[in-house]
Amino acid sequence: MTDAQETAAASSLRTTGGAPPDDGGSTASGAPTPLLEPREGIPPVIADEASLAEVIAAFAAGSGPVAVDAERASGYRYGQRAYLVQLRREGAGSALIDPVACPDLSALGDALSDVEWVLHAATQDLPCLREIGMMPTRLFDTELAGRLAGFPRVGLGAMVEGVLGFVLEKGHSAVDWSTRPLPDPWLRYAALDVELLVDLRDALEKELDRQGKLEWARQEFDAIASAPPPEPRKDPWRRTSGMHKVRRRRQLGVVRELWQTRDQIAQRRDVSPGKVLSDAAIVEAALALPVNVHALSALNGFGHRMGRRQLEQWQAAVDRARALSESQLPQPGQQVAGPPPPRAWADKDPAAAARLSAARSAVSALAEELNMPQENLIAPDAVRRVCWEPPAVDREAVAGALTGYGARPWQVEQVAPVLAAALTDPSA
């Protein structure tokens, strides 16, 4: 049992609108307690402006952090929009809001602008929350806190069970949240996701403080809250699963045409692209380069269930790629800024490869000592860039380079000394 678990088990949890058992979540036998119902029952789904105004007033008048979660319909609908938003705050209880019926939640975001938001895996939910007008200025990410604190399993269910002693029912995580009306079991699951999020935050804050990592976590949370929206991905079709099989430029052209056709259809129909045509089928057609609908229909993914009209639209995409001139075909490989893939370093620059090997070993040892994943200690890309084009090999120069690559002050303080030492003598 970790110190965070002992802290949670030894004292009553900080709760909103009620109280779990005084001995935390564990039963007399020490087994975790199933969390079956929200303390005030399943809240009604807010789906009109008048009810939303009441929720905004209640949450603005509440106290302490606000727990926030969002449910998407990944795998069912096009894009990553939110189909349900869940909140909980002391003095306000829990709320479930339908962002389809209430698509502009900027007034709620404004009412909570000075409040710390508690999210689990914040970077997953912030993009869809931003779309409906909700963005925190301060946040606490319980998943990231768990990583920094060294927990081996950081899913919400595992964290709530390991730290607080309660078992969350997770059976509805992958359902189609665009369904209307939402069934009561799904709404119960959604409400329970924020039921103990603030309690988890408080226990993790104590554990991070005990480990001397609380300031590190605050810097990470600030970086997430202040990060701008990501730039649109260049050539997203290149992320088609199975692309490593596609070698020739003409085949790449087929992947691009089929991917773009599929994306347009999926967007128009508001369904997941994978429900229109699978990645495996796209790659199959690219490798085969079918000359007509009959040849296309013989390929995996284009079988007897697909109608003639559908087959013709996919064959038209293949034909467009076949008709492209050499200059119009995509290049094999995406141009990326920065150093080449590490597997190529030994041939391109053996000295850089030696630096990278030494740096990785040093960072790995430090991450183990600090009891956290390497990728949370320092971004692997920052290490690669420093090793490919090293600055003057001293602590200050390495620190400056890491800062330039986006490392937070705590990361620079921890990593710069060991990285400078590894670059000074890669053979050590």
Side-chain angles (χ1 to χ4, degrees), residues 149-427:
F151 284 83
R153 297 168 60 223
V154 294
L156 180 59
M159 295 292 289
V160 167
E161 181 176 345
V163 177
L164 302 179
F166 288 92
V167 178
L168 289 177
E169 190 270 315
K170 299 298 291 182
H172 302 299
S173 59
V175 299
D176 180 3
W177 288 96
S178 68
T179 301
R180 293 296 184 273
L182 287 165
D184 278 355
W186 299 12
L187 296 174
R188 180 181 297 107
Y189 157 87
L192 288 174
D193 263 4
V194 292
E195 182 81 4
L196 295 178
L197 205 51
V198 173
D199 306 280
L200 180 60
R201 171 234 180 271
D202 290 347
L204 289 172
E205 182 179 61
K206 292 177 182 178
E207 176 64 8
L208 288 167
D209 190 38
R210 185 192 70 81
Q211 294 186 21
K213 298 176 180 176
L214 185 55
E215 175 56 29
W216 302 0
R218 287 171 175 157
Q219 291 181 27
E220 292 298 301
F221 302 156
D222 288 346
I224 294 173
S226 61
E231 294 289 332
R233 181 173 281 120
K234 183 180 179 182
D235 292 345
W237 59 270
R238 290 185 183 271
R239 294 177 63 84
T240 303
S241 180
M243 277 290 289
H244 62 281
K245 302 175 187 176
V246 182
R247 305 286 186 182
R248 292 156 49 193
R249 293 179 64 198
R250 186 70 58 186
Q251 295 172 332
L252 289 172
V254 172
V255 172
R256 182 175 64 186
E257 289 294 331
L258 285 172
W259 189 98
Q260 291 175 346
T261 300
R262 178 184 72 174
D263 194 65
Q264 292 166 2
I265 295 170
Q267 188 169 10
R268 185 175 69 247
R269 290 168 49 188
D270 189 20
V271 296
S272 169
K275 289 188 175 296
V276 176
L277 187 69
S278 70
D279 281 9
I282 290 177
V283 171
E284 186 88 2
L287 296 176
L289 291 172
V291 295
N292 53 40
V293 167
H294 178 72
L296 180 69
S297 65
L299 302 178
N300 289 332
F302 299 92
H304 64 279
R305 292 184 179 181
M306 190 171 288
R308 177 78 184 190
R309 184 177 176 184
Q310 290 176 293
L311 287 169
E312 287 175 348
Q313 75 182 0
W314 301 127
Q315 184 60 44
V318 174
D319 291 342
R320 287 195 299 272
R322 294 174 65 92
L324 293 173
S325 66
E326 285 294 320
S327 63
Q328 294 173 311
L329 293 174
Q331 294 297 323
Q334 192 172 13
Q335 295 298 317
V336 294
R343 62 180 178 273
W345 285 30
D347 292 330
K348 291 179 177 292
D349 190 337
R355 290 193 295 268
L356 181 61
S357 177
R360 283 174 162 174
S361 296
V363 170
S364 176
L366 180 59
E368 186 172 350
E369 178 185 336
L370 295 174
N371 191 27
M372 69 173 64
Q374 293 182 48
E375 63 269 20
N376 293 114
L377 173 58
I378 189 70
D381 182 64
V383 175
R384 287 194 293 268
R385 288 172 182 267
V386 168
C387 292
W388 184 250
E389 295 180 345
V393 184
D394 58 64
R395 184 180 303 188
E396 290 72 21
V398 172
L402 290 174
T403 300
Y405 295 135
R408 265 69 71 190
W410 77 268
Q411 295 177 312
V412 173
E413 181 182 3
Q414 295 296 319
V415 174
V418 299
L419 203 52
L423 295 174
T424 300
D425 186 4
S427 62

Side-chain angles (χ1 to χ4, degrees), residues 34-187:
L35 195 64
L36 303 177
E37 289 287 338
R39 273 164 274 186
E40 301 91 14
I42 303 173
V45 177
I46 304 303
D48 62 81
E49 294 302 321
S51 300
L52 178 60
E54 293 178 4
V55 165
I56 293 172
F59 274 79
S63 61
V66 58
V68 182
D69 192 20
E71 304 296 346
R72 300 177 298 279
S74 303
Y76 297 94
R77 295 290 182 175
Y78 185 86
Q80 293 295 315
R81 67 172 295 184
Y83 283 94
L84 188 70
V85 175
Q86 307 102 280
L87 304 100
R88 185 171 182 85
R89 192 181 189 197
E90 186 169 352
S94 295
L96 303 177
I97 302 175
D98 180 359
V100 177
C102 302
D104 182 4
L105 298 184
S106 56
L108 176 60
D110 292 344
L112 300 172
S113 61
D114 295 328
V115 178
E116 179 189 83
W117 295 21
V118 184
L119 302 102
H120 192 81
T123 54
Q124 295 183 19
D125 286 339
L126 288 180
C128 69
L129 290 170
R130 182 185 286 112
E131 287 183 358
I132 53 178
M134 296 184 64
M135 272 300 295
T137 56
R138 293 185 295 127
L139 64 84
F140 190 106
D141 186 333
T142 50
E143 185 202 47
L144 181 51
R147 291 179 182 277
L148 295 174
F151 284 83
R153 297 168 60 223
V154 294
L156 180 59
M159 295 292 289
V160 167
E161 181 176 345
V163 177
L164 302 179
F166 288 92
V167 178
L168 289 177
E169 190 270 315
K170 299 298 291 182
H172 302 299
S173 59
V175 299
D176 180 3
W177 288 96
S178 68
T179 301
R180 293 296 184 273
L182 287 165
D184 278 355
W186 299 12
L187 296 174

